[in-house]
Amino acid sequence: TAGGELLPPFDPEKMDGTVVEVEITRFPSPTQNATGRVVEVLGREGEFGIDVGIIIRKHHLRHRFPPEVEQEALAVPSAIPPEEIRDRTDFRDLPIVTIDGETARDFDDAVFVERLPNGHFQLQVHIADVSYYVNPGTSLDREARLRGTSVYFPDRAVPMLPSELSTGICSLNPGEDRLVLSVILEIDRQ
């Protein structure tokens, strides 16, 4: 049964060619085969995206967030407190552009360049300030450390942070206020 409902009888013939994730419940011995239970049906062999699903699992990429991480992400405010804006340098009037590709799923890097009166150039590099939202020792922090980075595939990403942050408040979306960490560089001709 699943959720109290009766499942149709298992038909191994219909499962032939189906790619599944299996949890091993008993490892093989010299006298017995391994046994396991199907955790997730990924799809039919050859279907679009199945290869990515296999790679994700083969390399043990953490592709699901634990419930406590999801709860923390949902609790992150979607607006920046006015006092936080007041305490930072405001770059919103500059024509800053993101440098992530057109098909990027998140926009976390941006730049601005201008010629200075002395002939040098000022380069501003801005990156989304994730540290404002991910506090040390929290479930979000521990999970991000375990993941280390986002992993990108042609049809999906396995993000380091839940989407509420990675494509939400920590993504430098055009026309939306965001917190950034910035480096302001003066570059001469050398």
Side-chain angles (χ1 to χ4, degrees):
T1 67
E5 298 176 30
L6 290 176
L7 294 176
F10 176 71
D11 184 352
E13 302 260 335
K14 289 184 181 173
M15 293 298 287
D16 190 33
T18 301
V19 179
V20 297
E21 180 180 353
V22 174
E23 176 187 2
I24 297 174
T25 56
R26 188 182 72 222
F27 285 89
S29 71
T31 60
Q32 290 184 314
N33 291 330
T35 59
R37 70 178 188 89
V38 174
V39 174
E40 182 180 1
V41 175
L42 300 178
R44 306 285 300 164
E45 211 171 348
E47 286 179 346
F48 181 78
I50 295 297
D51 52 347
V52 172
I54 292 169
I55 291 168
I56 288 169
R57 286 152 183 87
K58 179 179 178 182
H59 294 283
H60 305 285
L61 298 177
R62 297 174 68 89
H63 61 285
R64 293 186 190 99
F65 287 100
E68 64 275 9
V69 173
E70 291 283 0
Q71 288 171 351
E72 280 185 21
L74 289 170
V76 169
S78 59
I80 301 167
E83 61 274 7
E84 192 62 34
I85 293 173
R86 193 173 48 248
D87 292 342
R88 292 181 179 239
T89 303
D90 192 341
F91 297 103
R92 292 178 291 178
D93 290 336
L94 297 174
I96 296 170
V97 296
T98 59
I99 58 173
D100 300 286
E102 257 182 51
T103 58
R105 291 166 181 86
D106 56 12
F107 301 95
D108 50 8
D109 306 298
V111 296
F112 171 75
V113 177
E114 71 176 338
R115 185 184 292 269
L116 298 172
N118 64 4
H120 296 173
F121 289 90
Q122 182 184 80
L123 168 63
Q124 297 181 7
V125 180
H126 307 281
I127 186 164
D129 186 1
V130 175
S131 68
Y132 179 80
Y133 301 100
V134 180
N135 297 306
T138 61
S139 295
L140 276 168
D141 178 48
R142 286 190 299 275
E143 185 69 18
R145 287 174 184 269
L146 286 170
R147 290 174 182 237
T149 186
S150 298
V151 181
Y152 297 94
F153 295 98
D155 67 330
R156 71 189 95 165
V158 178
M160 185 173 74
L161 298 168
S163 62
E164 292 80 9
L165 281 85
S166 62
T167 59
I169 195 69
C170 294
S171 188
L172 306 178
N173 301 324
E176 296 182 18
D177 293 344
R178 295 293 187 250
L179 298 178
V180 296
L181 295 174
S182 304
V183 175
I184 311 300
L185 305 162
E186 184 171 332
I187 302 172
D188 63 19
R189 295 195 178 274
Q190 282 73 48

